[in-house]
Amino acid sequence: RQCTRARPGAGLVRGATVIAGDPNVQSVELVAAALGDLCDELVLVGGCAASLLIDAPTATPPRVTYDVDLISAHAARPTC
């Protein structure tokens, strides 16, 4: 699946079924909108990510989480 640029209410994943009103997805959309272009440098991890990965309509809804965990890769420059 390919993700789109997140905007509140726009949906995050093309071609996937996302449960309408899922609070985890709403949290991710809100954080992504606030981060803007910085989102291209980050990876979503943790409980909120589960809502974006489950695509079976009969699956049990994931538990609601109240934080959005992100990671990034970075390198430090050596100091002299």
Side-chain angles (χ1 to χ4, degrees), residues 34-78:
L35 291 170
D37 289 337
L38 186 57
C39 280
D40 294 336
E41 306 298 323
L42 302 170
V43 175
L44 174 68
V45 296
C48 280
S51 293
L52 302 173
L53 300 172
I54 298 171
D55 61 357
T58 58
T60 304
R63 114 185 132 73
V64 175
T65 184
Y66 299 101
D67 63 336
V68 177
D69 302 310
L70 302 163
I71 60 172
S72 68
H74 65 279
R77 296 165 102 178

